[in-house]
Amino acid sequence: MRRLFIGRRPSSVIISLFVSAACLFLCGCAGAGSAQTVEFFAMDTVMRVTTYGKNARAAAQAAQAEVTRLDALLSVEDPQSEIYRLNAAGQAELSGETAALLHAALDITEMSGGAFDITVYPLMKAWGFFSGDYAVPGEDELRELLALVGSDKLIFEGERLNFGLPGMGIDLGAIAKGYASDRAAEVLAENGVSHAMISLGGNIKAVGTSPEGRPWRIAIRDPLDAEAFAGIVLVSDMAVVTSGGYERYFERNGTRYHHILDPESGMPAQKGLLSVTIVCPSGTLADGLSTALFVMGEADALAFWHAHKELFDAVLVTDDGRTLVTSGIAEAFSTEHGFEVVR
Ligand code: AMP
Ligand code: MG
């Protein structure tokens, strides 16, 4: 159960000749009469599951129940959750599911050279991102907190996890929604649904094709304008996950501080990217990598894609106004602005 996401990117990113008609997800104008949508709040965000076909309503409700279960398991703020209790005690015997997700996170940490690291918990707490009581930590405080960051300090003995140092903690916020989208898709499949759109606070999992057999049209938000699109990507059976500094931030003395931290500096990552979108079959991997590549910045993110292009594709929006699209999805991508294809 160690590898949750490994798999090749299938060639199911389809180029549609029916773009103008295939606006199911974007405009919610589904033609199939049996569309059912459940909308609910979990993992600190609005979630929406739209299903089609015979068992659509019961399936969507089962997917909702699964996401709610995972919120209660993985939340850093719920005193009943496994992660909360682990962080409070500094050690725990993990459930098999949590252990598998932690190992998936550790794999991404290793792949990304530490750009992604779930041990940012003490930093997130000090910045006030859990409580909403925001603060900019001073240099000395940051230095002390950084000593508690680093997945290499986690000690595993089978499924027992010990933190190497008191004060450490883990935060699965960068991967939990992606994992939940994978599980929700599995629950839909178990309930006989083969066309669905799962949107967990912008973490998209497109299940199958649209009910008419066309690719889903997924809009990627313009990071500078919540009303505008950076582009549209056509996908089938694929996760599309975006990370951006605009999602959660506060301002102090005219400076904006966002929620994606560079585990090396303890500061919000500021390497020239406004958003990173990952397209690949696994929501877990897409979620982890969107955070990782955002932290890396353009040059390292592109080098990383070149080294792992069999696993995923990406859309990067830079702070100097460029949109970069990796070659595997270039033909499935469209935008009103220009874009550069990365080969
Ligand atoms: P996402 O929106 O998927 O990019 O995840 C951002 C969330 O992941 C933050 O709100 C934190 O909970 C957590 N986080 C922040 N920085 C990192 C990082 N460098 N590696 C892993 N998790 C992080
Ligand atoms: Mg993420």
Side-chain angles (χ1 to χ4, degrees):
M1 184 65 179
R2 189 168 146 71
R3 309 249 160 203
L4 287 174
F5 56 74
I6 297 304
R8 289 176 53 80
R9 175 169 48 75
S11 54
S12 53
V13 177
I14 301 164
I15 308 147
S16 173
L17 297 173
F18 308 103
V19 179
S20 57
C23 60
L24 290 173
F25 182 62
L26 281 174
C27 61
C29 53
S34 53
Q36 295 285 338
T37 296
V38 295
E39 200 171 87
F40 56 101
F41 194 82
M43 297 184 173
D44 257 346
T45 187
V46 178
M47 307 198 153
R48 195 174 299 115
V49 178
T50 300
T51 48
Y52 301 83
K54 258 218 215 119
N55 199 29
R57 176 128 202 97
Q61 286 168 341
Q64 172 180 354
E66 177 64 358
V67 173
T68 306
R69 179 187 73 81
L70 290 170
D71 191 9
L73 181 74
L74 303 173
S75 162
V76 283
E77 290 164 294
D78 176 352
Q80 303 304 319
S81 86
E82 192 174 338
I83 297 300
Y84 184 99
R85 285 184 279 134
L86 166 65
N87 285 341
Q91 54 151 329
E93 191 78 37
L94 300 174
S95 65
E97 184 172 29
T98 300
L101 186 56
L102 279 183
H103 284 297
L106 296 180
D107 286 348
I108 296 171
T109 301
E110 200 178 304
M111 282 170 87
S112 70
F116 176 96
D117 199 316
I118 56 174
T119 62
V120 293
Y121 174 85
L123 290 167
M124 290 297 292
K125 198 167 157 191
W127 281 94
F129 282 108
F130 300 133
S131 61
D133 206 356
Y134 299 118
V136 180
E139 265 179 46
D140 290 348
E141 190 183 358
L142 272 184
R143 199 172 316 115
E144 283 169 27
L145 293 168
L146 283 168
L148 305 174
V149 174
S151 288
D152 54 334
K153 301 180 183 81
L154 299 175
I155 303 160
F156 282 92
E157 284 155 12
E159 295 203 332
R160 169 159 287 279
L161 171 59
N162 272 288
F163 294 158
L165 295 166
M168 285 182 71
I170 60 171
D171 166 16
L172 294 170
I175 198 172
K177 291 201 277 286
Y179 174 63
S181 74
D182 287 337
R183 281 296 310 140
E186 281 168 26
V187 166
L188 293 182
E190 285 159 19
N191 280 272
V193 164
S194 41
H195 308 282
M197 178 56 62
I198 299 167
S199 173
L200 310 184
N203 278 43
I204 303 279
K205 181 110 185 200
V207 176
T209 60
S210 80
E212 290 83 2
R214 297 179 192 131
W216 293 103
R217 299 183 74 213
I218 311 296
I220 297 169
R221 210 202 99 155
D222 179 339
L224 296 175
D225 180 356
E227 305 298 310
F229 299 152
I232 290 168
V233 63
L234 301 176
V235 297
S236 304
D237 261 327
M238 202 65 77
V240 181
V241 178
T242 301
S243 285
Y246 59 83
E247 289 175 318
R248 189 174 293 185
Y249 61 86
F250 67 96
E251 281 172 32
R252 238 353 97 80
N253 302 323
T255 304
R256 191 183 269 203
Y257 299 98
H258 63 70
H259 69 134
I260 303 176
L261 302 180
D262 184 337
E264 216 167 85
S265 65
M267 298 289 289
Q270 215 102 53
K271 298 244 182 78
L273 295 177
L274 296 182
S275 75
V276 173
T277 300
I278 304 292
V279 180
C280 70
S282 161
T284 308
L285 182 63
D287 197 358
L289 290 185
S290 67
T291 310
L293 270 65
F294 184 89
V295 172
M296 288 178 196
E298 177 180 338
D300 286 357
L302 293 182
F304 184 87
W305 176 74
H306 278 113
H308 298 284
K309 56 168 95 172
E310 78 288 357
L311 285 180
F312 73 101
D313 276 290
V315 178
L316 312 185
V317 179
T318 68
D319 62 5
D320 58 5
R322 289 169 300 125
T323 301
L324 312 177
V325 181
T326 61
S327 57
I329 51 166
E331 292 186 15
F333 182 83
S334 60
T335 174
E336 289 170 5
H337 328 287
F339 67 96
E340 299 167 27
V341 179
V342 180
R343 294 181 199 283

